[in-house]
Amino acid sequence: MFQDPLDPNPYSQEYAQKLDEQDELGCYREQFYIKPDSIYLDGNSLGLLSKRAEKTLLEILEAWKTQGIDGWTQGQYPWFYLAEKLAAMSAPLVGASEDEVIVTGSTTTNLHQLVATFYKPQGNRTKILADELNFPSDIYALQSQLKLHGYDPAKYLVQVKSRDGRFLQEEDIISAMTDEIALIILPTVLYRSGQLLDIKRLTAEAHARGILIGFDGCHSVGSIPHSFSEWDVDFAFWCNYKYLNSGPGGTGSLYINRKHFGTSPGLAGWFGTRKDKQFDMEHQFHQAETAGAFQIGTPNILSMAPLIGSLELFTEANIEKLRQKSLHITQYFMDLIERELDGMGFMIGNPREDERRGGHISLEHRDAARICKALKEEQHIVPDFRAPNIIRLEPIPLYTTYCDVWETVQRLKTVMTEKQYEKFDNTRDVVA
Ligand SMILES: Cc1ncc(COP(=O)(O)O)c(C=O)c1O
Ligand SMILES: Nc1c(O)cccc1C(=O)C[C@H](N)C(=O)O
């Protein structure tokens, strides 16, 4: 716990208030719609709506209302260039130049596009390397891509094992980079345990063995600064509806290292062509010379509109500062949990070192599912549950206060001491 020499009790509510007073990002909270009397700790599954995101969505609706088809080229945000405009705004979050990013598709469809593009089995190099802890959608996508090539996923998808069910060891991943591997897909941050992988090291090791490597950045983009270009990552893909608060099902994004510009997209479509050629309507594909080449069809403009306002907030707040607060407030959270919930069966299942953890706390408990239900129903706190035993708690630097965190730990203590969780089944809800 960070000690303030003037305050002997860093576990007090007054101390939390003091931290809030000193928080230079505190001004952003009023930008968000937060249900009164509730504490929202699920921004790593669905980020909350901001007034800025609402405004840009309404502006785009207005353009549709008043301009019809001309909205593609006129108005404040001409739709024809919106994917590129949003890419330019997102590029600093991933450490890329603006032409290396494009806002398009969804996480899973972008992964399909990238594997269709970069998985080129040749000779002995036929396998894809992933891990056994990644989000299921990624694994389904990889399995189906292998099947499209006529390969049995049981043999050709190599999934690095976790030694403890929580974390991956970089050494184990590196040992699995054999001369049979054609492509590697890994998460930046693991969705359950919140482990942040060493992206730079893994990329260098993959390249030293002649293997291409791409990352799923769903649980890090908007939470952690990245240097994809400097680290020489080949490609990456992520969603914008978690940390980036673009709304349910909001359009995803992808990054293509500029050394791959000109590689033919595995799945081509007319929005992947050069903008000046697109409406020539030729049957010859004039590929865009940017990451834009990996778009397929018409962008879903209404699902991109909130991201304009949302990214403005990130530009103003600065991702380095957001990460600093995230590390600080999660450390504070862990310290309070250890002190206040000692002996109640909890175990912190995320890495402790700053350089190895993402933005969420992964709190394990054998009654996790019903503790989550009690937190929500009895205490108006929104966490999420991930099977078999994880309570994910995510303080979002733009809108979570230190007092929220302090209050959460107190209410969690009440759930346990008053056995409120016993009113519920220890099974997950439909959308957990
Ligand atoms: C790590 C990760 N990969 C993939 C997905 C799937 O994303 P989508 O449903 O937007 O394709 C998610 C979230 O749902 C995720 O957290
Ligand atoms: N994509 C989601 C959805 O469509 C419904 C509910 C939650 C989600 C999520 O994004 C879950 C998230 N990927 C996770 O880390 O578990």
Side-chain angles (χ1 to χ4, degrees):
M1 180 67 79
F2 9 83
Q3 290 285 350
D4 177 344
L6 299 176
D7 192 328
N9 183 6
Y11 301 99
S12 66
Q13 190 170 20
E14 292 68 38
Y15 194 80
Q17 284 161 351
K18 207 181 266 183
L19 290 173
D20 280 329
E21 281 159 25
Q22 290 166 4
D23 176 13
E24 62 169 311
L25 297 173
C27 55
Y28 289 100
R29 180 177 167 87
E30 53 114 35
Q31 277 289 331
F32 287 86
Y33 289 100
I34 299 171
K35 210 164 138 196
D37 304 322
S38 86
I39 299 176
Y40 192 80
L41 296 173
D42 205 6
N44 56 332
S45 205
L46 180 68
L48 291 179
L49 174 65
S50 67
K51 292 175 190 162
R52 218 64 93 76
E54 178 183 49
K55 179 169 170 279
T56 52
L57 173 59
L58 293 175
E59 280 166 356
I60 294 240
L61 269 181
E62 187 64 22
W64 178 25
K65 198 193 282 179
T66 57
Q67 296 174 320
I69 189 78
D70 289 334
W72 282 104
T73 47
Q74 292 174 17
Q76 200 180 351
Y77 309 112
W79 310 331
F80 195 54
Y81 306 102
L82 189 55
E84 287 77 10
K85 178 189 167 60
L86 289 169
M89 295 175 82
S90 316
L93 299 178
V94 294
S97 18
E98 52 186 69
D99 57 354
E100 290 176 308
V101 177
I102 198 74
V103 173
T104 186
S106 72
T107 310
T108 312
T109 59
N110 288 337
L111 173 57
H112 273 290
Q113 166 69 296
L114 294 162
V115 177
T117 303
F118 292 107
Y119 173 52
K120 294 181 176 153
Q122 260 171 3
N124 200 34
R125 274 196 199 281
T126 46
K127 297 187 178 175
I128 298 180
L129 180 63
D131 67 275
E132 67 165 3
L133 298 180
N134 203 345
F135 197 79
S137 200
D138 291 19
I139 300 301
Y140 305 153
L142 297 178
Q143 289 169 336
S144 68
Q145 287 287 334
L146 284 165
K147 283 191 213 157
L148 282 174
H149 283 268
Y151 292 127
D152 175 5
K155 245 178 96 187
Y156 287 83
L157 179 62
V158 180
Q159 288 182 260
V160 177
K161 296 226 172 312
S162 162
R163 296 183 196 180
D164 57 5
R166 283 189 196 97
F167 306 133
L168 297 169
Q169 304 297 323
E170 275 84 2
E171 305 84 87
D172 295 346
I173 301 174
I174 293 163
S175 308
M177 294 180 186
T178 65
D179 57 9
E180 292 183 335
I181 305 295
L183 181 69
I184 304 174
I185 303 290
L186 292 168
T188 50
V189 167
L190 273 62
Y191 78 102
R192 277 207 199 89
S193 70
Q195 179 190 359
L196 168 62
L197 289 178
D198 188 339
I199 304 166
K200 183 179 178 182
R201 176 177 173 206
L202 292 167
T203 302
E205 296 286 352
H207 289 172
R209 292 161 179 78
I211 310 171
L212 294 182
I213 184 162
F215 286 89
D216 176 337
C218 278
H219 288 270
S220 64
V221 180
S223 168
I224 293 172
H226 307 69
S227 305
F228 283 155
S229 296
E230 188 194 318
W231 299 333
D232 203 26
V233 166
D234 290 292
F235 59 85
F237 50 99
W238 60 93
C239 68
N240 291 305
Y241 53 69
K242 295 183 169 71
Y243 291 96
L244 292 167
N245 312 312
S246 72
T251 305
S253 295
L254 57 82
Y255 159 84
I256 303 280
N257 190 309
R258 64 186 328 103
K259 70 185 176 188
H260 297 302
F261 287 179
T263 303
S264 295
L267 308 172
W270 74 319
F271 266 80
T273 61
R274 280 170 41 183
K275 292 237 172 276
D276 57 331
K277 298 294 280 177
Q278 187 170 340
F279 276 82
D280 289 348
M281 307 290 192
E282 289 175 13
H283 281 190
Q284 191 194 341
F285 184 71
H286 295 284
Q287 181 169 343
E289 286 145 6
T290 62
F294 298 85
Q295 296 172 93
I296 304 177
T298 307
N300 30 5
I301 299 298
L302 297 181
S303 297
M304 292 157 73
L307 189 57
I308 309 169
S310 193
L311 286 172
E312 284 169 9
L313 291 179
F314 279 82
T315 306
E316 283 171 31
N318 183 294
I319 189 66
E320 300 284 347
K321 287 190 182 158
L322 290 166
R323 173 65 167 161
Q324 267 169 30
K325 174 170 171 188
S326 166
L327 286 172
H328 193 258
I329 198 167
T330 43
Q331 185 60 55
Y332 174 68
F333 211 158
M334 290 188 281
D335 291 345
L336 286 176
I337 287 170
E338 285 190 324
R339 165 146 164 152
E340 301 287 327
L341 307 178
D342 189 33
M344 295 181 181
F346 290 103
M347 136 116 201
I348 294 176
N350 51 273
R352 295 309 184 93
E353 310 90 314
D354 284 0
E355 57 291 349
R356 288 190 68 229
R357 61 194 179 91
H360 71 260
I361 308 273
S362 177
L363 192 57
E364 298 178 14
H365 195 285
R366 73 188 154 99
D367 289 309
R370 54 185 178 163
I371 293 171
C372 280
K373 288 179 189 169
L375 275 174
K376 227 167 171 169
E377 306 267 319
E378 308 281 321
Q379 300 292 341
H380 313 290
I381 291 178
V382 185
D384 70 18
F385 166 72
R386 286 292 170 264
N389 64 344
I390 294 171
I391 304 167
R392 286 194 313 190
L393 300 163
E394 172 72 49
I396 294 291
L398 281 172
Y399 54 77
T400 308
T401 63
Y402 287 86
C403 283
D404 284 342
V405 167
W406 186 87
E407 192 60 41
T408 298
V409 176
Q410 299 309 313
R411 294 194 205 172
L412 196 43
K413 197 170 171 181
T414 305
V415 164
M416 301 313 290
T417 52
E418 294 183 9
K419 298 195 185 311
Q420 290 177 346
Y421 62 94
E422 288 186 355
K423 294 186 200 162
F424 302 91
D425 286 341
N426 198 28
T427 51
R428 69 165 170 80
D429 284 331
V430 177
V431 172

